């Protein structure tokens, strides 16, 4: 089966955010709140032994479930935290139906470094498509002649969504 350039397709984003690394790490790891900021992930929840829980210890191996919506398509994924070092890094892998951590659908990673002031953070945020199954692969199987365009468009969407999510997290809370 042809890969069509999907495995390893990636987005790397670097942006400065007006929040301290500690505050931003706390927001990024507030998995149940992601729907407040993300244009694609509308709901997420921590899992413990396959059951939804309200809180979880953010550490390597912790799982969460997310429901995404894009262009009328809705799907749910299970994710596994692969790195959690407050306030420096937070990373996770998105599992496909095979649930093989060595062959994820994708890998996501945040790295935080202090910015020019104490209330700024230099964020490096990345997405890497894995060898596992995904909606992107399904779409390409239906239109293999358009594979390079489909990958390019999807990576552009992801870059935009990653930026929008960080911008929304950094927006000051409005008080009424």
């Amino acid at each position: 089966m042809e890969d069509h350039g999907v495995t390893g397709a990636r987005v790397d984003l670097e942006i400065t955010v007006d929040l301290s690394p500690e505050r931003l790490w706390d927001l990024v790891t507030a998995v149940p709140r992601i729907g407040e900021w993300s244009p694609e992930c509308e709901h997420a929840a921590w899992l413990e032994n396959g059951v939804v829980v309200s809180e979880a210890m953010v550490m390597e191996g912790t799982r969460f479930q997310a429901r995404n919506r894009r262009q009328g398509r809705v799907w749910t994924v299970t994710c596994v935290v692969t790195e959690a070092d407050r306030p420096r890094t937070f990373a996770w892998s998105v599992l496909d139906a095979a649930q093989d951590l060595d062959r994820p659908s994708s890998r996501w990673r945040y790295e935080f470094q202090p910015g020019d002031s104490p209330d700024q953070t230099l964020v490096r945020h990345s997405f890497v498509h894995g060898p596992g199954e995904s909606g992107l692969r399904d779409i390409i199987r239906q239109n293999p002649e358009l594979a390079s365009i489909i990958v390019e468009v999807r990576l552009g969407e992801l870059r935009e969504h990653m930026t929008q999510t960080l911008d929304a997290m950094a927006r000051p809370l409005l008080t009424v």
Side-chain angles (χ1 to χ4, degrees):
M1 178 183 307
E2 281 190 66
D3 186 73
H4 296 286
V6 175
T7 300
R10 67 182 299 132
V11 174
D12 291 295
L13 177 69
E14 189 171 296
I15 188 171
T16 298
V17 174
D18 290 331
L19 292 171
S20 70
E22 293 81 7
R23 178 67 180 135
L24 188 56
W25 196 91
D26 289 345
L27 291 172
V28 166
T29 61
V31 166
R33 293 189 62 194
I34 195 66
E36 296 175 34
W37 306 301
S38 173
E40 189 167 312
C41 181
E42 61 183 21
H43 176 76
W46 292 110
L47 296 174
E48 194 170 290
N49 299 320
V51 177
V52 172
V53 294
S54 58
E55 293 182 18
M57 178 75 94
V58 180
M59 58 188 219
E60 191 173 319
T62 305
R63 290 178 180 244
F64 61 94
Q65 191 173 65
R67 184 178 63 238
N68 301 310
R69 180 181 304 272
R70 177 179 165 266
Q71 298 178 347
R73 185 172 170 256
V74 178
W75 68 101
T76 300
V77 294
T78 299
C79 306
V80 178
V81 175
T82 56
E83 225 176 316
D85 181 17
R86 184 180 194 269
R88 294 185 244 334
T89 56
F90 182 63
W92 68 94
S93 290
V94 178
L95 303 177
D96 66 8
Q99 302 282 300
D100 182 349
L101 192 55
D102 293 327
R103 296 185 50 79
S105 172
S106 60
R107 291 184 172 94
W108 295 79
R109 180 179 171 84
Y110 283 97
E111 290 179 35
F112 308 112
Q113 294 182 348
D116 293 337
S117 77
D119 290 330
Q120 281 191 332
T121 302
L122 173 64
V123 181
R124 289 189 178 93
H125 186 18
S126 62
F127 161 89
V128 181
H129 204 289
E133 288 299 312
S134 68
L136 180 62
R137 290 184 190 283
D138 292 341
I139 293 167
I140 288 174
R141 281 188 197 104
Q142 296 168 22
N143 304 280
E145 70 284 359
L146 301 174
S148 63
I149 294 168
I150 292 167
V151 170
E152 182 180 331
V153 167
R154 181 61 177 142
L155 294 179
E157 287 174 340
L158 286 168
R159 174 178 298 283
E160 184 177 323
H161 292 172
M162 291 159 72
T163 302
Q164 289 172 355
T165 300
L166 282 166
D167 286 347
M169 284 179 180
R171 212 173 291 133
L173 294 176
L174 299 176
T175 55
V176 194

